Amino acid sequence: LMVLERGIEGGRRTFANMSKYVRITASSNFGNIFSVLVASAFLPFLPMTAVQLLLLNLMNDLICTSIPWDNVDDGLLLAPRSWSTSDISRFMRLTGPVSSIFDIASFAVLFFVICPAACGGIWSELADPALRLQFVAIFQAGWFVESMLTQILALLVLRREIVAERANPPALPLMALSIAGALLALALVFTPVGAVVDFAIPPLAWLGWLAAIMVGYGLVANLAKKLYLRGS
């Protein structure tokens, strides 16, 4: 009977981590798609190229491969759970727009503050094609690293499905890949390696803005998760 108990527990753990992946991925993709639509409507250039988007998704997917080894709250193993598409949809609607809000804030800071400071003027004032290319490359690099870091932060903040007093930290594989993904994104953007995918190094002032955006996103995403859990 102990074998059966371990099998049931393993199945419930697998289901919990599978649900975690689907909910967070759906939420993140919903937010990113909305951000791209908003940016495409208002920006005079693409917020990110196809290659850059594919690279972003590849890096995020590699981090998500560690979810099957993540820790699961004990409360999720006490009883069987059913698959609910409406629950996933509600989670996506509550948490997805949060990333879009901070993406749009990032667009505004990059377009009106960071890129003009690096290129010597706002977009409409730049007549030199080389400066316009640099403007676009800095913008795309800035949003790439912001999008990557917010997706990693979303995974760490939204991974828990219940309100519990006992701490349930991320498993070592998840934490290790998250840190590696964040460092790789920063290295791509703030070193000459990023030129391979048409990035230009943003001014260091972007790091300060980036830190503020991460703190704000973490707080608001955690609030959105609590609203979701209260309605569950």
Side-chain angles (χ1 to χ4, degrees):
L1 293 178
M2 294 300 294
V3 173
L4 294 177
E5 180 183 358
R6 288 195 297 270
I8 292 171
E9 182 179 313
R12 291 177 181 175
R13 190 180 302 277
T14 299
F15 181 84
N17 280 331
M18 180 179 67
S19 300
K20 183 187 305 180
Y21 171 79
V22 172
R23 285 199 322 275
I24 294 175
T25 303
S27 171
S28 180
N29 288 342
F30 173 76
N32 283 342
I33 289 171
F34 186 75
S35 300
V36 170
L37 289 175
V38 171
S40 299
F42 293 99
L43 291 176
F45 50 82
L46 290 174
M48 209 179 289
T49 66
V51 172
Q52 292 164 357
L53 279 172
L54 287 173
L55 178 61
L56 178 70
N57 287 332
L58 175 62
M59 292 172 61
N60 186 57
D61 287 342
L62 288 175
I63 294 171
C64 288
T65 59
S66 62
I67 291 180
W69 289 273
D70 192 23
N71 298 322
V72 175
D73 288 297
D74 293 338
L76 299 176
L77 306 178
L78 298 177
R81 305 169 63 210
S82 59
W83 182 262
S84 173
T85 53
S86 61
D87 185 68
I88 294 172
S89 176
R90 189 170 67 86
F91 182 89
M92 182 179 69
R93 292 194 307 271
L94 273 173
T95 61
V98 175
S99 65
S100 296
I101 291 170
F102 286 90
D103 280 343
I104 293 169
S106 299
F107 295 157
V109 172
L110 286 166
F111 191 81
F112 294 109
V113 179
I114 299 300
C115 294
C119 300
I122 61 175
W123 175 263
S124 59
E125 296 175 349
L126 299 179
D128 187 349
L131 285 177
R132 287 205 162 192
L133 287 176
Q134 183 186 8
F135 191 105
V136 173
I138 291 174
F139 184 98
Q140 291 172 342
W143 187 45
F144 178 90
V145 70
E146 184 271 342
S147 184
M148 188 69 216
L149 293 183
T150 51
Q151 288 190 58
I152 292 172
L153 189 57
L155 179 58
L156 298 177
V157 170
L158 303 177
R159 50 179 288 277
R160 300 193 69 181
E161 298 182 49
I162 62 176
V163 178
E165 293 181 0
R166 201 180 86 174
N168 180 22
L172 181 59
L174 176 58
M175 203 65 211
L177 281 180
S178 297
I179 293 173
L183 292 176
L184 179 58
L186 290 168
L188 277 172
V189 168
F190 288 98
T191 67
V193 177
V196 176
V197 286
D198 298 325
F199 286 151
I201 300 175
L204 291 180
W206 176 233
L207 286 174
W209 285 98
L210 194 58
I213 290 169
M214 291 300 103
V215 171
Y217 175 78
L219 293 174
V220 178
N222 191 54
L223 177 61
K225 182 185 73 171
K226 289 181 178 179
L227 292 174
Y228 161 79
L229 293 174
R230 286 176 184 174
S232 298

